[in-house]
Amino acid sequence: MIEIGGSVIPPAKIQRIEIPIARLPTQTLITLPVTVINGSYQGPILWLSAAIHGDEVNGVEIIRQVLQKISPSLLKGTLIAVPIVNIFGFIEQSRYLPDRRDLNRSFPGSKRGSLGSRLAHLFMEEIVRKSTHGIDLHTASDHRKNLPQIRANLHDPQTYECAKAFAAPVTIHSQTRDGSLREAAAKQGIPILLYEAGEALRFDENAIKVGVEGIMRVMASLNMYPLEMYLEPQLVLEVDETKWVRAARSGILRLYVELGHKVIKKQLLGVISDAFGEQNTTVNAPCTGVVIGSLQNPLVNQGDAILHLAVLEE
């Protein structure tokens, strides 16, 4: 049996739990929705989380589809699914909490801190500390779009095995950021993957498909759930470094490359011009790599991040 939010979930059961967070000024109670599938047999405890940034909706759909696939009678271990962590931002279709704080810079949190700090503390106590593994689902932000990718500490053997099993098109060795869920979980010794794919406030069918299949492959690698026959191993590009391409001037951007394209050093990636096309500045690749992130808004200011490249050896 496992206890989440004061509720005890017996083996071979699915249970929906609402963990109280706080009240709105109207006194409406806001809760953290959690679905727990407790298997018929002992095994790992895997949490899935999405919408830590409230406008990142792909992960919500990924978790919904995964839950539809899992039968408690076949599950070894426990699946803890939290499709909407930042419920405040989700309601407002905003990345942030009501006080404009970033929840993913608030971990591990505290009982008496800001709203974000309290929510982070609740999530750590009720979800993370009761899990053996975690997968946190994200999208790009600020009018950007990401190629499906895993970011993780590939130097940790357990985390690396999970990343290989997920088999996103690109797997990146990435350091943790201060205050992030991934940093807080890693300090607890919990292997965690961060999945980035698609863009904010938009469903991306390919990003969702890759996410669902990746989670099912991880669960199979952990011996939690039988692998569906059609989920063949995928080719994965592993990289240790990424690099941003930034705008040298302000203007209107026209890109000549798309997500997933391989580029070579000094290749023409796009042009920044004024509204009349009288002044043009080229955007060139600083290295050989693969495009894993792209700005969707053509209006750029000097210094804006235009493209994100996974660096390849030349």
Side-chain angles (χ1 to χ4, degrees):
M1 292 188 292
I2 185 169
E3 182 178 339
I4 302 287
S7 298
V8 176
I9 303 92
K13 293 292 183 182
I14 301 176
Q15 190 162 326
R16 171 75 177 275
I17 302 164
E18 301 282 346
I19 305 176
I21 301 174
R23 292 186 181 274
L24 298 176
T26 60
Q27 300 308 300
T28 302
L29 180 63
I30 298 296
T31 61
L32 183 68
V34 182
T35 296
V36 181
I37 306 180
N38 204 11
S40 301
Y41 313 94
Q42 288 187 339
I45 303 173
L46 171 67
W47 100 72
L48 307 176
S49 54
I52 279 183
H53 297 127
D55 59 355
E56 298 182 357
V57 298
N58 274 330
V60 181
E61 176 63 11
I62 290 171
I63 291 177
R64 185 193 71 81
Q65 291 190 22
V66 168
L67 291 175
Q68 297 296 310
K69 293 176 175 289
I70 305 299
S71 169
S73 63
L74 299 176
L75 179 63
K76 294 180 180 179
T78 305
L79 184 66
I80 305 174
V82 191
I84 308 169
V85 182
N86 181 359
I87 192 74
F88 301 93
F90 185 80
I91 292 169
E92 295 294 328
Q93 300 183 38
S94 167
R95 179 180 178 87
Y96 302 108
L97 291 157
D99 61 1
R100 298 294 296 170
R101 290 176 188 265
D102 186 334
L103 179 56
N104 210 29
R105 299 293 179 269
S106 302
F107 287 90
S110 70
K111 277 186 175 182
R112 295 176 178 82
S114 65
L115 175 61
S117 186
R118 295 177 188 218
L119 177 52
H121 175 78
L122 174 69
F123 191 86
M124 290 294 297
E125 293 299 314
E126 294 292 347
I127 309 299
V128 175
R129 297 188 198 279
K130 298 178 182 180
S131 302
T132 60
H133 300 75
I135 302 177
D136 189 29
L137 308 171
H138 287 261
T139 74
S141 64
D142 301 328
H143 306 292
R144 295 184 175 88
K145 187 175 183 178
N146 280 341
L147 185 75
Q149 59 196 260
I150 284 291
R151 300 178 187 177
N153 177 12
L154 303 184
H155 296 167
D156 175 68
Q158 290 188 66
T159 305
Y160 181 56
E161 289 303 313
C162 289
K164 282 200 304 181
F166 195 106
V170 178
T171 298
I172 303 165
H173 174 66
S174 173
Q175 299 297 325
T176 58
R177 290 189 174 184
D178 291 345
S180 68
L181 171 58
R182 188 157 73 91
E183 180 192 59
K187 286 183 176 179
Q188 296 295 316
I190 298 173
I192 177 173
L193 304 181
L194 189 150
Y195 177 62
E196 285 270 4
E199 59 185 310
L201 296 175
R202 300 287 186 273
F203 274 168
D204 182 310
E205 293 303 323
N206 181 60
I208 292 168
K209 179 176 181 289
V210 172
V212 172
E213 293 181 357
I215 289 169
M216 298 306 296
R217 277 194 289 266
V218 171
M219 293 183 69
S221 76
L222 295 173
N223 198 30
M224 292 181 68
Y225 208 75
L227 184 64
E228 295 171 327
M229 293 300 293
Y230 70 89
L231 294 181
E232 297 294 330
Q234 303 294 305
L235 292 174
V236 177
L237 172 65
E238 291 185 13
V239 297
D240 291 326
E241 182 184 359
T242 66
K243 186 169 291 188
W244 285 100
V245 181
R246 296 187 178 274
R249 56 163 290 191
S250 301
I252 299 173
L253 171 69
R254 286 173 287 135
L255 284 175
Y256 302 148
V257 294
E258 298 179 357
L259 292 179
H261 282 185
K262 181 180 178 180
V263 301
I264 61 175
K265 189 173 182 178
K266 298 184 180 179
Q267 178 179 330
L268 179 64
L269 305 177
V271 172
I272 300 172
S273 63
D274 60 18
F276 304 100
E278 295 175 351
Q279 295 182 349
N280 295 303
T281 300
T282 60
V283 179
N284 300 95
C287 62
T288 297
V290 174
V291 180
I292 60 171
S294 175
L295 183 67
Q296 301 297 291
N297 186 350
L299 306 182
V300 298
N301 292 301
Q302 184 176 354
D304 281 355
I306 296 173
L307 293 170
H308 199 192
L309 303 180
V311 178
L312 301 177
E313 293 184 5
E314 299 178 30

